[in-house]
Coordinates of all heavy atoms in Angstrom, one line a residue:
M1 N 0.8 -1.2 0.0 CA 0.0 0.0 0.0 C 0.9 1.3 0.0 O 0.6 2.2 -0.7 CB -0.9 0.0 1.2 CG -1.9 1.1 1.2 SD -3.1 0.9 2.6 CE -4.0 2.4 2.4
A2 N 1.9 1.3 0.8 CA 2.8 2.5 0.9 C 3.6 2.6 -0.4 O 4.3 1.7 -0.9 CB 3.7 2.3 2.1
E3 N 3.5 3.8 -1.0 CA 4.3 4.1 -2.2 C 5.0 5.4 -2.0 O 5.2 5.9 -0.9 CB 3.3 4.2 -3.4 CG 2.4 3.0 -3.6 CD 1.1 3.3 -4.3 OE1 1.1 4.4 -5.0 OE2 0.2 2.5 -4.3
K4 N 5.3 6.0 -3.2 CA 5.9 7.4 -3.1 C 4.8 8.4 -2.8 O 3.6 8.2 -3.2 CB 6.5 7.7 -4.5 CG 7.9 7.1 -4.6 CD 8.7 7.9 -5.6 CE 8.2 7.7 -7.0 NZ 9.2 8.3 -8.0
C5 N 5.2 9.5 -2.2 CA 4.3 10.6 -1.9 C 4.0 11.3 -3.3 O 4.9 11.8 -3.9 CB 4.9 11.6 -1.0 SG 3.9 13.1 -0.8
P6 N 2.7 11.3 -3.7 CA 2.4 12.0 -5.0 C 2.7 13.5 -5.0 O 2.9 14.1 -6.0 CB 0.9 11.7 -5.2 CG 0.6 10.6 -4.3 CD 1.5 10.7 -3.1
F7 N 2.8 14.1 -3.8 CA 3.0 15.5 -3.7 C 4.5 15.9 -3.8 O 4.8 16.7 -4.6 CB 2.4 16.0 -2.3 CG 2.4 17.5 -2.2 CD1 1.5 18.2 -3.0 CD2 3.2 18.1 -1.3 CE1 1.4 19.6 -2.8 CE2 3.2 19.5 -1.2 CZ 2.3 20.3 -2.0
C8 N 5.3 15.2 -3.0 CA 6.8 15.6 -3.0 C 7.7 14.5 -3.5 O 8.9 14.7 -3.7 CB 7.2 16.0 -1.6 SG 7.4 14.6 -0.4
G9 N 7.2 13.3 -3.7 CA 8.0 12.2 -4.2 C 8.8 11.4 -3.2 O 9.5 10.5 -3.5
H10 N 8.7 11.8 -1.9 CA 9.4 11.1 -0.9 C 8.9 9.6 -0.7 O 7.8 9.3 -1.0 CB 9.2 11.8 0.5 CG 10.2 11.5 1.5 ND1 10.0 10.6 2.5 CD2 11.5 11.9 1.7 CE1 11.1 10.5 3.3 NE2 12.0 11.3 2.8
Q11 N 9.8 8.7 -0.3 CA 9.5 7.3 -0.3 C 8.8 6.8 0.9 O 8.1 5.8 0.9 CB 10.8 6.5 -0.5 CG 11.5 6.7 -1.7 CD 11.0 6.0 -2.9 OE1 10.1 5.2 -2.8 NE2 11.6 6.2 -4.1
N12 N 8.9 7.5 2.0 CA 8.4 6.9 3.3 C 7.0 7.5 3.6 O 6.9 8.6 4.0 CB 9.4 7.3 4.5 CG 10.7 6.5 4.4 OD1 10.9 5.8 3.4 ND2 11.6 6.7 5.3
M13 N 6.1 6.6 3.5 CA 4.7 6.9 3.8 C 4.3 6.0 5.0 O 4.5 4.8 5.0 CB 3.8 6.5 2.7 CG 4.1 7.3 1.4 SD 3.6 9.0 1.4 CE 1.9 8.8 1.1
A14 N 3.8 6.7 6.1 CA 3.5 6.0 7.3 C 1.9 5.8 7.5 O 1.2 6.8 7.2 CB 4.0 6.7 8.5
A15 N 1.5 4.6 7.9 CA 0.1 4.4 8.1 C -0.2 5.0 9.5 O 0.4 4.8 10.5 CB -0.3 2.9 8.1
K16 N -1.2 5.9 9.5 CA -1.6 6.6 10.8 C -3.0 6.7 11.0 O -3.8 6.4 10.0 CB -1.0 8.1 10.7 CG 0.5 8.2 10.8 CD 0.9 9.6 11.2 CE 2.4 9.6 11.6 NZ 2.8 10.9 12.0
Q17 N -3.4 7.1 12.2 CA -4.8 7.4 12.4 C -4.9 8.8 12.9 O -4.2 9.2 13.9 CB -5.4 6.5 13.5 CG -5.5 5.0 13.1 CD -6.4 4.2 13.9 OE1 -6.6 4.5 15.1 NE2 -7.1 3.2 13.3
V18 N -5.6 9.7 12.2 CA -5.6 11.1 12.4 C -7.0 11.6 12.6 O -8.0 11.0 12.4 CB -4.9 11.8 11.3 CG1 -3.5 11.3 11.1 CG2 -5.7 11.6 10.0
E19 N -7.1 12.9 13.0 CA -8.3 13.6 13.1 C -8.6 14.3 11.7 O -7.8 14.9 11.1 CB -8.1 14.8 14.1 CG -9.3 15.3 14.7 CD -8.9 16.2 15.9 OE1 -8.5 17.4 15.6 OE2 -9.0 15.8 17.0
Y20 N -9.9 14.1 11.3 CA -10.3 14.6 10.0 C -11.4 15.6 10.1 O -12.4 15.2 10.8 CB -10.7 13.5 9.1 CG -11.0 13.9 7.6 CD1 -10.0 13.9 6.7 CD2 -12.3 14.1 7.3 CE1 -10.3 14.3 5.4 CE2 -12.6 14.5 6.0 CZ -11.6 14.6 5.0 OH -11.9 14.9 3.8
L21 N -11.3 16.8 9.6 CA -12.4 17.7 9.7 C -13.1 17.8 8.3 O -12.6 18.2 7.3 CB -11.8 19.1 10.0 CG -12.9 20.2 10.4 CD1 -13.6 19.8 11.6 CD2 -12.2 21.5 10.6
Y22 N -14.4 17.3 8.4 CA -15.2 17.3 7.2 C -16.0 18.6 7.2 O -16.5 19.0 8.2 CB -16.2 16.1 7.2 CG -17.1 16.1 6.0 CD1 -16.7 15.4 4.8 CD2 -18.4 16.7 6.1 CE1 -17.6 15.4 3.7 CE2 -19.2 16.6 5.0 CZ -18.8 16.0 3.8 OH -19.6 16.0 2.7
R23 N -16.1 19.3 6.1 CA -16.8 20.6 6.0 C -17.7 20.6 4.8 O -17.4 20.2 3.7 CB -15.8 21.7 5.9 CG -16.6 23.1 5.8 CD -15.6 24.2 5.7 NE -16.4 25.5 5.8 CZ -16.0 26.7 5.9 NH1 -14.7 26.9 6.0 NH2 -16.8 27.7 5.9
L24 N -19.0 21.1 5.0 CA -19.9 21.3 4.0 C -20.5 22.7 4.3 O -21.4 22.8 5.2 CB -21.0 20.2 3.8 CG -21.8 20.3 2.6 CD1 -21.0 20.0 1.3 CD2 -23.0 19.2 2.7
G25 N -20.2 23.7 3.5 CA -20.6 25.1 3.8 C -20.2 25.5 5.2 O -19.0 25.5 5.5
E26 N -21.2 25.8 6.1 CA -20.8 26.2 7.5 C -21.0 25.0 8.5 O -21.0 25.2 9.7 CB -21.7 27.4 7.9 CG -21.2 28.7 7.2 CD -21.4 29.9 8.1 OE1 -22.5 30.0 8.7 OE2 -20.4 30.7 8.2
R27 N -21.2 23.8 7.9 CA -21.4 22.7 8.8 C -20.1 21.9 8.8 O -19.6 21.6 7.8 CB -22.6 21.8 8.4 CG -23.9 22.6 8.5 CD -25.1 21.8 8.0 NE -26.3 22.5 8.0 CZ -27.1 22.5 9.1 NH1 -26.8 21.7 10.1 NH2 -28.2 23.2 9.1
F28 N -19.7 21.5 10.0 CA -18.5 20.7 10.2 C -18.7 19.4 10.9 O -19.7 19.3 11.7 CB -17.5 21.5 11.0 CG -17.1 22.8 10.4 CD1 -17.8 24.0 10.5 CD2 -15.9 22.9 9.7 CE1 -17.4 25.2 9.9 CE2 -15.5 24.1 9.1 CZ -16.2 25.2 9.2
M29 N -17.9 18.4 10.7 CA -17.9 17.2 11.5 C -16.5 16.8 11.7 O -15.7 16.6 10.7 CB -18.7 16.1 10.8 CG -18.8 14.8 11.7 SD -19.9 13.6 11.0 CE -18.9 13.0 9.7
M30 N -16.1 16.6 12.9 CA -14.8 16.2 13.2 C -14.8 14.7 13.5 O -15.7 14.2 14.2 CB -14.3 16.8 14.5 CG -12.9 16.4 14.9 SD -12.3 17.4 16.3 CE -12.1 19.0 15.6
V31 N -13.9 13.9 12.8 CA -13.9 12.5 13.0 C -12.5 12.1 13.5 O -11.5 12.5 12.9 CB -14.2 11.8 11.6 CG1 -14.3 10.3 11.8 CG2 -15.5 12.3 11.0
T32 N -12.5 11.4 14.6 CA -11.2 10.9 15.1 C -10.8 9.5 14.6 O -11.7 8.8 14.1 CB -11.2 10.9 16.7 OG1 -12.2 10.0 17.1 CG2 -11.5 12.3 17.2
D33 N -9.6 9.1 14.8 CA -9.1 7.8 14.4 C -9.3 7.4 13.0 O -9.6 6.3 12.6 CB -9.9 6.7 15.3 CG -9.9 7.0 16.7 OD1 -9.0 7.7 17.2 OD2 -10.9 6.6 17.4
V34 N -9.2 8.4 12.1 CA -9.4 8.1 10.6 C -8.1 7.6 10.1 O -7.0 8.2 10.2 CB -9.8 9.4 9.9 CG1 -10.0 9.1 8.4 CG2 -11.0 10.0 10.5
P35 N -8.1 6.4 9.4 CA -6.9 5.8 8.8 C -6.4 6.6 7.6 O -7.2 7.0 6.8 CB -7.3 4.4 8.5 CG -8.8 4.4 8.3 CD -9.3 5.5 9.2
C36 N -5.1 6.9 7.5 CA -4.6 7.5 6.3 C -3.1 7.1 6.2 O -2.5 6.5 7.0 CB -4.7 9.0 6.4 SG -3.5 9.8 7.5
L37 N -2.6 7.5 5.0 CA -1.1 7.4 4.8 C -0.6 8.8 4.9 O -1.1 9.7 4.2 CB -0.8 6.8 3.4 CG -0.9 5.3 3.3 CD1 -0.6 4.9 1.9 CD2 0.0 4.6 4.3
E38 N 0.5 9.0 5.7 CA 1.0 10.3 5.8 C 2.5 10.3 5.4 O 3.3 9.4 5.8 CB 1.0 10.8 7.3 CG 1.4 12.2 7.5 CD 1.3 12.6 9.0 OE1 0.1 12.9 9.4 OE2 2.3 12.7 9.7
C39 N 2.9 11.3 4.5 CA 4.2 11.4 4.1 C 5.1 11.8 5.3 O 4.8 12.8 5.9 CB 4.3 12.4 2.9 SG 6.0 12.7 2.4
E40 N 6.2 11.1 5.5 CA 7.0 11.4 6.6 C 7.9 12.7 6.3 O 8.6 13.2 7.2 CB 7.9 10.2 7.0 CG 7.1 9.1 7.6 CD 7.9 7.9 8.1 OE1 9.1 7.8 7.6 OE2 7.4 7.1 8.8
F41 N 7.9 13.1 5.1 CA 8.8 14.2 4.7 C 7.9 15.5 4.7 O 8.3 16.5 5.4 CB 9.4 14.0 3.4 CG 10.4 15.1 3.0 CD1 11.6 15.3 3.6 CD2 10.0 16.0 2.0 CE1 12.4 16.3 3.3 CE2 10.9 17.1 1.6 CZ 12.1 17.2 2.3
C42 N 6.9 15.6 3.9 CA 6.1 16.8 3.8 C 4.8 16.8 4.6 O 4.2 17.9 4.8 CB 5.8 17.1 2.3 SG 4.5 16.1 1.6
G43 N 4.4 15.7 5.2 CA 3.3 15.7 6.1 C 1.9 15.6 5.3 O 0.9 15.6 6.0
E44 N 2.0 15.5 4.0 CA 0.7 15.4 3.2 C 0.0 14.1 3.6 O 0.7 13.1 3.8 CB 1.1 15.4 1.7 CG -0.1 15.6 0.8 CD -0.7 17.0 0.8 OE1 -0.2 17.9 1.4 OE2 -1.8 17.2 0.2
Q45 N -1.3 14.2 3.8 CA -2.1 13.0 4.2 C -3.0 12.5 3.0 O -3.6 13.3 2.3 CB -2.9 13.3 5.4 CG -2.1 13.7 6.6 CD -3.0 14.1 7.8 OE1 -4.1 14.6 7.6 NE2 -2.4 14.0 9.0
Y46 N -3.0 11.2 2.9 CA -3.8 10.6 1.8 C -4.8 9.6 2.4 O -4.5 8.8 3.2 CB -2.9 9.8 0.8 CG -1.9 10.8 0.2 CD1 -0.6 11.0 0.8 CD2 -2.2 11.6 -0.9 CE1 0.3 11.9 0.3 CE2 -1.3 12.5 -1.4 CZ -0.1 12.6 -0.8 OH 0.8 13.5 -1.4
F47 N -6.1 9.8 2.0 CA -7.2 9.0 2.5 C -7.8 8.2 1.4 O -7.9 8.7 0.2 CB -8.3 9.9 3.1 CG -7.8 10.8 4.2 CD1 -7.2 12.0 4.0 CD2 -8.0 10.3 5.5 CE1 -6.8 12.8 5.1 CE2 -7.5 11.1 6.6 CZ -6.9 12.3 6.4
D48 N -8.1 6.9 1.7 CA -8.8 6.1 0.7 C -10.2 6.7 0.4 O -10.9 7.3 1.2 CB -9.1 4.7 1.3 CG -8.0 3.8 1.0 OD1 -7.0 4.2 0.3 OD2 -8.1 2.6 1.4
A49 N -10.6 6.6 -0.9 CA -11.9 7.1 -1.3 C -13.0 6.5 -0.5 O -14.0 7.1 -0.1 CB -12.2 6.9 -2.8
A50 N -12.9 5.2 -0.1 CA -13.9 4.5 0.7 C -14.0 5.1 2.1 O -15.1 5.2 2.6 CB -13.5 3.0 0.8
V51 N -12.9 5.5 2.6 CA -12.9 6.2 3.9 C -13.6 7.5 3.9 O -14.5 7.8 4.7 CB -11.4 6.4 4.4 CG1 -11.4 7.3 5.7 CG2 -10.8 5.0 4.7
L52 N -13.4 8.3 2.9 CA -14.0 9.6 2.7 C -15.5 9.4 2.5 O -16.3 10.2 3.0 CB -13.3 10.4 1.6 CG -11.9 10.7 1.9 CD1 -11.3 11.5 0.7 CD2 -11.7 11.5 3.2
K53 N -15.9 8.4 1.7 CA -17.3 8.2 1.4 C -18.0 7.8 2.7 O -19.2 8.2 2.9 CB -17.4 7.1 0.4 CG -17.2 7.6 -1.0 CD -17.6 6.6 -2.1 CE -17.5 7.2 -3.5 NZ -17.2 6.3 -4.5
R54 N -17.4 7.0 3.5 CA -18.0 6.6 4.8 C -18.2 7.8 5.7 O -19.3 7.9 6.3 CB -17.1 5.5 5.4 CG -17.8 4.8 6.6 CD -17.0 3.6 7.0 NE -17.6 3.0 8.1 CZ -17.0 1.9 8.7 NH1 -15.9 1.4 8.3 NH2 -17.6 1.4 9.7
I55 N -17.3 8.7 5.7 CA -17.4 9.9 6.5 C -18.5 10.8 6.0 O -19.4 11.2 6.8 CB -16.1 10.7 6.6 CG1 -15.0 9.9 7.4 CG2 -16.3 12.1 7.1 CD1 -13.6 10.5 7.3
E56 N -18.6 10.9 4.7 CA -19.7 11.7 4.1 C -21.0 11.1 4.4 O -22.0 11.8 4.7 CB -19.4 11.9 2.6 CG -20.4 12.8 1.9 CD -20.0 13.2 0.5 OE1 -19.0 12.6 0.0 OE2 -20.7 14.0 -0.1
A57 N -21.1 9.8 4.3 CA -22.4 9.1 4.5 C -22.9 9.3 6.0 O -24.0 9.6 6.3 CB -22.3 7.6 4.2
D58 N -21.9 9.3 6.9 CA -22.2 9.5 8.3 C -22.7 11.0 8.5 O -23.6 11.2 9.3 CB -21.0 9.2 9.2 CG -21.4 9.2 10.7 OD1 -22.1 8.2 11.0 OD2 -21.0 10.1 11.4
F59 N -22.0 11.9 7.9 CA -22.4 13.3 8.0 C -23.8 13.5 7.5 O -24.7 14.2 8.1 CB -21.4 14.2 7.1 CG -21.8 15.6 7.1 CD1 -21.4 16.5 8.1 CD2 -22.5 16.2 6.0 CE1 -21.7 17.8 8.1 CE2 -22.8 17.5 6.0 CZ -22.4 18.3 7.0
Q60 N -24.2 12.9 6.4 CA -25.5 13.0 5.8 C -26.5 12.3 6.8 O -27.6 12.9 7.0 CB -25.6 12.2 4.5 CG -24.8 12.9 3.4 CD -25.3 14.3 3.0 OE1 -26.4 14.6 3.1 NE2 -24.4 15.1 2.5
A61 N -26.2 11.2 7.4 CA -27.1 10.6 8.4 C -27.4 11.5 9.6 O -28.5 11.6 10.0 CB -26.5 9.2 8.8
I62 N -26.3 12.2 10.0 CA -26.5 13.1 11.2 C -27.4 14.3 10.7 O -28.3 14.7 11.5 CB -25.1 13.6 11.7 CG1 -24.4 12.4 12.4 CG2 -25.3 14.8 12.6 CD1 -23.0 12.6 12.7
Q63 N -27.1 14.8 9.5 CA -27.9 16.0 9.1 C -29.3 15.7 8.7 O -30.2 16.5 9.0 CB -27.2 16.6 7.8 CG -25.8 17.1 8.0 CD -25.8 18.3 9.1 OE1 -26.7 19.1 9.1 NE2 -24.9 18.2 10.0
H64 N -29.6 14.5 8.1 CA -30.9 14.3 7.5 C -31.7 13.2 8.2 O -32.9 13.1 8.0 CB -30.7 13.9 6.0 CG -30.0 15.0 5.3 ND1 -30.6 16.3 5.2 CD2 -28.9 15.1 4.6 CE1 -29.8 17.1 4.5 NE2 -28.7 16.4 4.1
T65 N -31.1 12.2 8.9 CA -31.9 11.2 9.5 C -31.8 11.2 11.0 O -32.3 10.3 11.7 CB -31.4 9.8 9.0 OG1 -30.1 9.5 9.5 CG2 -31.4 9.7 7.5
G66 N -31.3 12.3 11.5 CA -31.3 12.5 13.0 C -30.4 11.6 13.8 O -30.5 11.4 15.0
K67 N -29.4 11.0 13.1 CA -28.4 10.1 13.8 C -27.7 11.0 14.8 O -27.3 12.1 14.5 CB -27.4 9.5 12.8 CG -26.5 8.5 13.5 CD -25.2 8.2 12.7 CE -24.3 7.4 13.6 NZ -22.9 7.5 13.2
Q68 N -27.5 10.5 16.0 CA -26.8 11.2 17.1 C -25.3 10.9 17.0 O -24.9 9.8 16.9 CB -27.3 10.8 18.5 CG -28.7 11.3 18.8 CD -28.7 12.8 18.8 OE1 -27.9 13.4 19.5 NE2 -29.6 13.4 18.1
P69 N -24.5 12.0 16.9 CA -23.0 11.8 16.9 C -22.5 11.3 18.3 O -23.3 11.5 19.2 CB -22.4 13.1 16.5 CG -23.5 14.1 16.9 CD -24.8 13.4 16.8
L70 N -21.3 10.9 18.3 CA -20.7 10.4 19.6 C -20.8 11.6 20.6 O -21.1 11.4 21.7 CB -19.3 10.0 19.3 CG -18.5 9.1 20.2 CD1 -19.3 7.8 20.4 CD2 -17.1 8.8 19.7
R71 N -20.4 12.8 20.2 CA -20.5 14.0 21.0 C -20.5 15.2 20.1 O -20.1 15.1 18.9 CB -19.4 14.0 22.1 CG -18.0 14.2 21.6 CD -17.0 13.9 22.7 NE -15.7 14.0 22.2 CZ -14.9 15.1 22.2 NH1 -15.4 16.2 22.8 NH2 -13.7 15.1 21.7
T72 N -20.9 16.3 20.7 CA -20.9 17.6 19.9 C -20.1 18.6 20.7 O -20.2 18.7 21.9 CB -22.4 18.1 19.8 OG1 -23.1 17.1 19.1 CG2 -22.4 19.4 19.0
I73 N -19.3 19.4 19.9 CA -18.5 20.5 20.6 C -18.9 21.8 20.0 O -19.4 21.9 18.9 CB -17.0 20.3 20.4 CG1 -16.6 20.3 18.9 CG2 -16.5 19.0 21.1 CD1 -15.1 20.3 18.7
R74 N -18.8 22.9 20.8 CA -19.0 24.3 20.3 C -17.7 24.9 19.9 O -16.7 24.7 20.5 CB -19.7 25.1 21.4 CG -21.0 24.6 21.8 CD -21.5 25.3 23.0 NE -21.7 26.7 22.7 CZ -22.9 27.3 22.3 NH1 -23.9 26.5 22.1 NH2 -23.0 28.6 22.1
V75 N -17.7 25.6 18.8 CA -16.5 26.2 18.2 C -16.6 27.7 18.1 O -17.5 28.2 17.5 CB -16.2 25.6 16.8 CG1 -14.9 26.2 16.2 CG2 -16.1 24.1 16.8
P76 N -15.7 28.5 18.9 CA -15.8 29.9 18.8 C -15.3 30.4 17.4 O -14.5 29.7 16.7 CB -14.8 30.4 19.8 CG -14.3 29.2 20.5 CD -14.7 28.0 19.8
V77 N -15.9 31.5 16.9 CA -15.5 32.1 15.6 C -15.0 33.5 15.8 O -15.7 34.3 16.5 CB -16.7 32.1 14.6 CG1 -16.3 32.7 13.3 CG2 -17.2 30.6 14.4
E78 N -13.9 33.9 15.2 CA -13.4 35.2 15.3 C -13.0 35.7 14.0 O -12.7 34.9 13.1 CB -12.1 35.3 16.2 CG -12.4 35.0 17.7 CD -12.7 36.3 18.5 OE1 -13.5 37.1 17.9 OE2 -12.1 36.5 19.6
A79 N -13.0 37.1 13.8 CA -12.4 37.7 12.6 C -11.1 38.2 13.0 O -11.0 38.9 14.0 CB -13.3 38.8 12.0
Y80 N -10.0 37.9 12.3 CA -8.7 38.4 12.7 C -8.7 39.9 12.8 O -8.0 40.4 13.7 CB -7.7 37.9 11.6 CG -6.3 38.2 12.0 CD1 -5.6 37.5 13.0 CD2 -5.6 39.3 11.4 CE1 -4.3 37.9 13.4 CE2 -4.3 39.6 11.8 CZ -3.7 38.9 12.8 OH -2.4 39.2 13.1
S81 N -9.4 40.6 11.9 CA -9.3 42.1 11.9 C -10.0 42.7 13.1 O -9.9 43.9 13.4 CB -10.0 42.6 10.6 OG -11.4 42.1 10.6
S82 N -10.8 41.9 13.9 CA -11.5 42.4 15.0 C -10.8 42.0 16.3 O -11.3 42.3 17.4 CB -12.9 41.9 15.1 OG -13.0 40.5 15.4
L83 N -9.6 41.3 16.2 CA -8.9 40.9 17.4 C -8.2 42.1 18.1 O -7.8 43.0 17.5 CB -7.9 39.8 17.1 CG -8.4 38.6 16.5 CD1 -7.3 37.6 16.3 CD2 -9.5 37.9 17.3
Ligands
LIG1 ZN1 5.5 14.2 0.7

């Protein structure tokens, strides 16, 4: 499975579990423990299409069929120019 990094061409790709932030407009869903391959040189992360489809399907289930997520967090929003 591990190959060259398509972004920088480095050879070492590590299998990791990371946090993934899915966004659709102003709606977000954070998913933990998402499997990916991460380039050990440039840090670019690569996700299987099946993994991303599963996340999108879960987001749709939460938005449209009332599925309850594991937990919900509140996120503050700021404009840099108003700091
Ligand atoms: Zn890379």
Side-chain angles (χ1 to χ4, degrees):
M1 189 172 172
E3 305 156 16
K4 279 204 292 191
C5 172
F7 189 71
C8 76
H10 199 260
Q11 299 277 359
N12 290 2
M13 303 284 281
K16 289 199 169 180
Q17 292 199 330
V18 300
E19 200 171 78
Y20 184 87
L21 189 62
Y22 180 88
R23 177 177 188 174
L24 189 66
E26 288 214 311
R27 295 175 184 271
F28 297 84
M29 181 174 75
M30 182 177 290
V31 186
T32 60
D33 311 332
V34 181
C36 78
L37 279 180
E38 186 178 283
C39 174
E40 293 184 342
F41 184 72
C42 75
E44 192 73 7
Q45 296 176 335
Y46 300 93
F47 299 86
D48 270 1
V51 169
L52 298 179
K53 280 191 174 148
R54 191 165 178 185
I55 290 172
E56 189 169 2
D58 190 70
F59 177 83
Q60 294 296 333
I62 289 168
Q63 295 300 317
H64 300 300
T65 69
K67 187 198 173 206
Q68 288 298 307
L70 202 56
R71 63 193 178 95
T72 301
I73 60 172
R74 295 171 64 91
V75 179
V77 178
E78 289 272 45
Y80 184 74
S81 58
S82 73
L83 301 183

